[in-house]
Amino acid sequence: YGGRMGFFLILRNVLRISAVSVVSQIVLFIGKVFITVASTVGGYYYLDIHFGDELNFLMVPTLLIAIVAYAVSEMFNEVFGMAISTILQCFVADEELFEDAEERFAPGSLAGAIDSTQQKYKKKKKQVGVEAS
């Protein structure tokens, strides 16, 4: 019964959830790239400064740093993405349960951010539709 209610909750708010999901996927991708690149560059310089004389070739250790940094960023962003989805679904449920904005648990700034994201998504979707025709 709870799964069905959750499914229909998402279905009733599909535009909001898809708009925030698109934005969050972009942010998570940028986060993965930034964490991986920053860790790899930092690791390369650390190896060069401290072990540059002892190592003949820095690319293999740097590649290992990049692989580990990507794995860590992937795990971190999975948890972060799950938190974004959970907060969004709680917000949507809160909005449906309490008609009066004063009774809701979510702050007004969260509602404003989600509404502006949805409006931007709709506008972009209309532009893509106009360009395609």
Side-chain angles (χ1 to χ4, degrees), residues 39-59:
S39 298
T40 304
V41 169
Y44 175 81
Y45 284 121
Y46 179 81
L47 289 173
D48 189 34
I49 291 169
H50 292 286
F51 302 105
D53 298 335
E54 299 171 25
L55 294 173
N56 293 330
F57 192 60
L58 291 176
M59 294 314 288

Side-chain angles (χ1 to χ4, degrees), residues 13-20 88 91-92 95 114-115 118:
N13 296 285
V14 71
L15 279 180
R16 270 188 158 166
I17 291 175
S18 63
V20 173
L88 178 62
F91 171 78
V92 170
E95 209 173 45
I114 290 176
D115 288 338
Q118 181 183 7

Side-chain angles (χ1 to χ4, degrees), residues 77-97:
N77 281 331
E78 278 298 317
V79 172
F80 191 63
M82 184 66 70
I84 291 171
S85 298
T86 303
I87 290 171
L88 178 62
Q89 289 180 13
C90 289
F91 171 78
V92 170
D94 186 39
E95 209 173 45
E96 284 197 3
L97 287 173

Side-chain angles (χ1 to χ4, degrees), residues 118-130:
Q118 181 183 7
Q119 290 170 359
K120 289 177 187 177
Y121 181 72
K122 281 182 181 178
K123 188 184 295 183
K124 186 176 182 180
K125 196 171 183 181
K126 283 182 183 178
Q127 288 176 349
V128 170
V130 169

Side-chain angles (χ1 to χ4, degrees), residues 36 65-77:
T36 304
I65 291 171
I67 291 169
V68 170
Y70 177 77
V72 169
S73 69
E74 183 73 34
M75 287 185 272
F76 176 80
N77 281 331

Side-chain angles (χ1 to χ4, degrees), residues 18-29:
S18 63
V20 173
S21 294
V22 166
V23 172
S24 68
Q25 289 301 316
I26 292 169
V27 169
L28 292 174
F29 176 75

Side-chain angles (χ1 to χ4, degrees), residues 4-17:
R4 184 175 60 169
M5 287 181 61
F7 174 76
F8 286 115
L9 175 71
I10 292 171
L11 193 62
R12 284 190 300 271
N13 296 285
V14 71
L15 279 180
R16 270 188 158 166
I17 291 175

